[in-house]
Amino acid sequence: MEPLRETVRIRVRFSEVDALRMVWHGRYVQYLEDAREAFGRKYGLTYLHIFDCGYVAPIADMHVRYRQPATIDDLLLVEITCRPVSGGKLIFDYRITKEPDASLVLTATTIQLFMTREGVFEPSSPDFFNAWKEKVRRG
């Protein structure tokens, strides 16, 4: 099975840079969120769907490696790839590059775990998630 991927384009706005005219480091976390939301829309795993199934999927771990700064009006491509896993968690890998030269700005990984809406950790894979994995596996 091919890895599930999505790419979003983001143009850096003035409000997203700091006094050094570089994208403020915390803004990249929002770019990763934008990619996760686009992934969810494309593959039928939106946060609302997860919530409607009785769960939430908070970030449990995040690793970010900054490679070079981005600045005002840069066009960024945020690529998200869902890493196949056997358990009940979501692992996403990210690459943020600049258009048009594809120079690398950032790499990152996030891990999301499932919890009930009441805040109880779900140690096994929820039924809705197993069904989703089977659906995307079949194409």
PDB file of all heavy atoms in Angstrom, residues 41-53:
ATOM      1  N   ARG A  41      -9.558  15.716   5.711  1.00  0.00           N
ATOM      2  CA  ARG A  41     -10.601  15.944   4.696  1.00  0.00           C
ATOM      3  C   ARG A  41     -10.411  15.011   3.505  1.00  0.00           C
ATOM      4  O   ARG A  41     -11.377  14.449   2.988  1.00  0.00           O
ATOM      5  CB  ARG A  41     -10.586  17.400   4.238  1.00  0.00           C
ATOM      6  CG  ARG A  41     -11.206  18.373   5.230  1.00  0.00           C
ATOM      7  CD  ARG A  41     -11.382  19.766   4.641  1.00  0.00           C
ATOM      8  NE  ARG A  41     -10.129  20.367   4.216  1.00  0.00           N
ATOM      9  CZ  ARG A  41      -9.296  21.043   4.999  1.00  0.00           C
ATOM     10  NH1 ARG A  41      -9.581  21.198   6.276  1.00  0.00           N
ATOM     11  NH2 ARG A  41      -8.197  21.571   4.518  1.00  0.00           N
ATOM     12  N   LYS A  42      -9.175  14.854   3.066  1.00  0.00           N
ATOM     13  CA  LYS A  42      -8.897  14.022   1.881  1.00  0.00           C
ATOM     14  C   LYS A  42      -9.205  12.548   2.135  1.00  0.00           C
ATOM     15  O   LYS A  42      -9.739  11.863   1.262  1.00  0.00           O
ATOM     16  CB  LYS A  42      -7.438  14.187   1.461  1.00  0.00           C
ATOM     17  CG  LYS A  42      -7.060  13.372   0.239  1.00  0.00           C
ATOM     18  CD  LYS A  42      -5.637  13.659  -0.203  1.00  0.00           C
ATOM     19  CE  LYS A  42      -5.263  12.881  -1.456  1.00  0.00           C
ATOM     20  NZ  LYS A  42      -3.899  13.231  -1.906  1.00  0.00           N
ATOM     21  N   TYR A  43      -8.869  12.053   3.319  1.00  0.00           N
ATOM     22  CA  TYR A  43      -8.969  10.619   3.586  1.00  0.00           C
ATOM     23  C   TYR A  43     -10.101  10.229   4.541  1.00  0.00           C
ATOM     24  O   TYR A  43     -10.181   9.071   4.962  1.00  0.00           O
ATOM     25  CB  TYR A  43      -7.629  10.101   4.129  1.00  0.00           C
ATOM     26  CG  TYR A  43      -6.540  10.147   3.089  1.00  0.00           C
ATOM     27  CD1 TYR A  43      -5.540  11.120   3.154  1.00  0.00           C
ATOM     28  CD2 TYR A  43      -6.518   9.238   2.041  1.00  0.00           C
ATOM     29  CE1 TYR A  43      -4.541  11.166   2.199  1.00  0.00           C
ATOM     30  CE2 TYR A  43      -5.523   9.281   1.084  1.00  0.00           C
ATOM     31  CZ  TYR A  43      -4.532  10.248   1.165  1.00  0.00           C
ATOM     32  OH  TYR A  43      -3.552  10.295   0.214  1.00  0.00           O
ATOM     33  N   GLY A  44     -10.984  11.164   4.863  1.00  0.00           N
ATOM     34  CA  GLY A  44     -12.146  10.820   5.678  1.00  0.00           C
ATOM     35  C   GLY A  44     -11.839  10.560   7.133  1.00  0.00           C
ATOM     36  O   GLY A  44     -12.491   9.724   7.772  1.00  0.00           O
ATOM     37  N   LEU A  45     -10.878  11.275   7.676  1.00  0.00           N
ATOM     38  CA  LEU A  45     -10.520  11.123   9.083  1.00  0.00           C
ATOM     39  C   LEU A  45     -10.402  12.508   9.724  1.00  0.00           C
ATOM     40  O   LEU A  45      -9.369  12.861  10.287  1.00  0.00           O
ATOM     41  CB  LEU A  45      -9.208  10.339   9.226  1.00  0.00           C
ATOM     42  CG  LEU A  45      -8.884   9.818  10.621  1.00  0.00           C
ATOM     43  CD1 LEU A  45      -9.935   8.814  11.088  1.00  0.00           C
ATOM     44  CD2 LEU A  45      -7.508   9.186  10.658  1.00  0.00           C
ATOM     45  N   THR A  46     -11.469  13.275   9.640  1.00  0.00           N
ATOM     46  CA  THR A  46     -11.468  14.624  10.208  1.00  0.00           C
ATOM     47  C   THR A  46     -11.599  14.556  11.729  1.00  0.00           C
ATOM     48  O   THR A  46     -12.046  13.547  12.286  1.00  0.00           O
ATOM     49  CB  THR A  46     -12.631  15.462   9.646  1.00  0.00           C
ATOM     50  OG1 THR A  46     -13.874  14.859  10.058  1.00  0.00           O
ATOM     51  CG2 THR A  46     -12.577  15.560   8.126  1.00  0.00           C
ATOM     52  N   TYR A  47     -11.225  15.641  12.367  1.00  0.00           N
ATOM     53  CA  TYR A  47     -11.377  15.711  13.817  1.00  0.00           C
ATOM     54  C   TYR A  47     -12.837  15.575  14.225  1.00  0.00           C
ATOM     55  O   TYR A  47     -13.153  14.949  15.241  1.00  0.00           O
ATOM     56  CB  TYR A  47     -10.797  17.020  14.366  1.00  0.00           C
ATOM     57  CG  TYR A  47      -9.291  17.059  14.335  1.00  0.00           C
ATOM     58  CD1 TYR A  47      -8.621  18.149  13.817  1.00  0.00           C
ATOM     59  CD2 TYR A  47      -8.529  16.009  14.839  1.00  0.00           C
ATOM     60  CE1 TYR A  47      -7.231  18.198  13.789  1.00  0.00           C
ATOM     61  CE2 TYR A  47      -7.149  16.047  14.815  1.00  0.00           C
ATOM     62  CZ  TYR A  47      -6.504  17.131  14.297  1.00  0.00           C
ATOM     63  OH  TYR A  47      -5.133  17.177  14.266  1.00  0.00           O
ATOM     64  N   LEU A  48     -13.746  16.142  13.443  1.00  0.00           N
ATOM     65  CA  LEU A  48     -15.173  16.036  13.748  1.00  0.00           C
ATOM     66  C   LEU A  48     -15.638  14.587  13.647  1.00  0.00           C
ATOM     67  O   LEU A  48     -16.417  14.117  14.481  1.00  0.00           O
ATOM     68  CB  LEU A  48     -15.989  16.946  12.826  1.00  0.00           C
ATOM     69  CG  LEU A  48     -17.468  17.070  13.156  1.00  0.00           C
ATOM     70  CD1 LEU A  48     -17.681  17.513  14.600  1.00  0.00           C
ATOM     71  CD2 LEU A  48     -18.136  18.044  12.209  1.00  0.00           C
ATOM     72  N   HIS A  49     -15.154  13.855  12.645  1.00  0.00           N
ATOM     73  CA  HIS A  49     -15.512  12.435  12.524  1.00  0.00           C
ATOM     74  C   HIS A  49     -15.016  11.656  13.742  1.00  0.00           C
ATOM     75  O   HIS A  49     -15.755  10.840  14.310  1.00  0.00           O
ATOM     76  CB  HIS A  49     -14.932  11.842  11.237  1.00  0.00           C
ATOM     77  CG  HIS A  49     -15.142  10.370  11.118  1.00  0.00           C
ATOM     78  ND1 HIS A  49     -16.381   9.803  10.909  1.00  0.00           N
ATOM     79  CD2 HIS A  49     -14.260   9.341  11.216  1.00  0.00           C
ATOM     80  CE1 HIS A  49     -16.266   8.482  10.874  1.00  0.00           C
ATOM     81  NE2 HIS A  49     -14.980   8.182  11.054  1.00  0.00           N
ATOM     82  N   ILE A  50     -13.777  11.893  14.133  1.00  0.00           N
ATOM     83  CA  ILE A  50     -13.221  11.223  15.308  1.00  0.00           C
ATOM     84  C   ILE A  50     -14.069  11.545  16.537  1.00  0.00           C
ATOM     85  O   ILE A  50     -14.435  10.653  17.314  1.00  0.00           O
ATOM     86  CB  ILE A  50     -11.745  11.629  15.521  1.00  0.00           C
ATOM     87  CG1 ILE A  50     -10.878  11.096  14.369  1.00  0.00           C
ATOM     88  CG2 ILE A  50     -11.219  11.128  16.871  1.00  0.00           C
ATOM     89  CD1 ILE A  50      -9.455  11.649  14.347  1.00  0.00           C
ATOM     90  N   PHE A  51     -14.445  12.815  16.684  1.00  0.00           N
ATOM     91  CA  PHE A  51     -15.255  13.249  17.824  1.00  0.00           C
ATOM     92  C   PHE A  51     -16.634  12.596  17.792  1.00  0.00           C
ATOM     93  O   PHE A  51     -17.140  12.127  18.816  1.00  0.00           O
ATOM     94  CB  PHE A  51     -15.377  14.778  17.821  1.00  0.00           C
ATOM     95  CG  PHE A  51     -16.048  15.328  19.041  1.00  0.00           C
ATOM     96  CD1 PHE A  51     -15.344  15.478  20.229  1.00  0.00           C
ATOM     97  CD2 PHE A  51     -17.382  15.695  19.001  1.00  0.00           C
ATOM     98  CE1 PHE A  51     -15.960  15.984  21.361  1.00  0.00           C
ATOM     99  CE2 PHE A  51     -18.006  16.202  20.129  1.00  0.00           C
ATOM    100  CZ  PHE A  51     -17.296  16.348  21.316  1.00  0.00           C
ATOM    101  N   ASP A  52     -17.246  12.553  16.611  1.00  0.00           N
ATOM    102  CA  ASP A  52     -18.564  11.937  16.476  1.00  0.00           C
ATOM    103  C   ASP A  52     -18.535  10.442  16.788  1.00  0.00           C
ATOM    104  O   ASP A  52     -19.559   9.862  17.155  1.00  0.00           O
ATOM    105  CB  ASP A  52     -19.131  12.161  15.073  1.00  0.00           C
ATOM    106  CG  ASP A  52     -19.562  13.604  14.837  1.00  0.00           C
ATOM    107  OD1 ASP A  52     -19.704  14.367  15.829  1.00  0.00           O
ATOM    108  OD2 ASP A  52     -19.758  13.970  13.658  1.00  0.00           O
ATOM    109  N   CYS A  53     -17.371   9.824  16.654  1.00  0.00           N
ATOM    110  CA  CYS A  53     -17.206   8.407  17.002  1.00  0.00           C
ATOM    111  C   CYS A  53     -16.907   8.219  18.490  1.00  0.00           C
ATOM    112  O   CYS A  53     -16.690   7.094  18.953  1.00  0.00           O
ATOM    113  CB  CYS A  53     -16.093   7.787  16.163  1.00  0.00           C
ATOM    114  SG  CYS A  53     -16.538   7.619  14.411  1.00  0.00           S
TER     115      CYS A  53
END
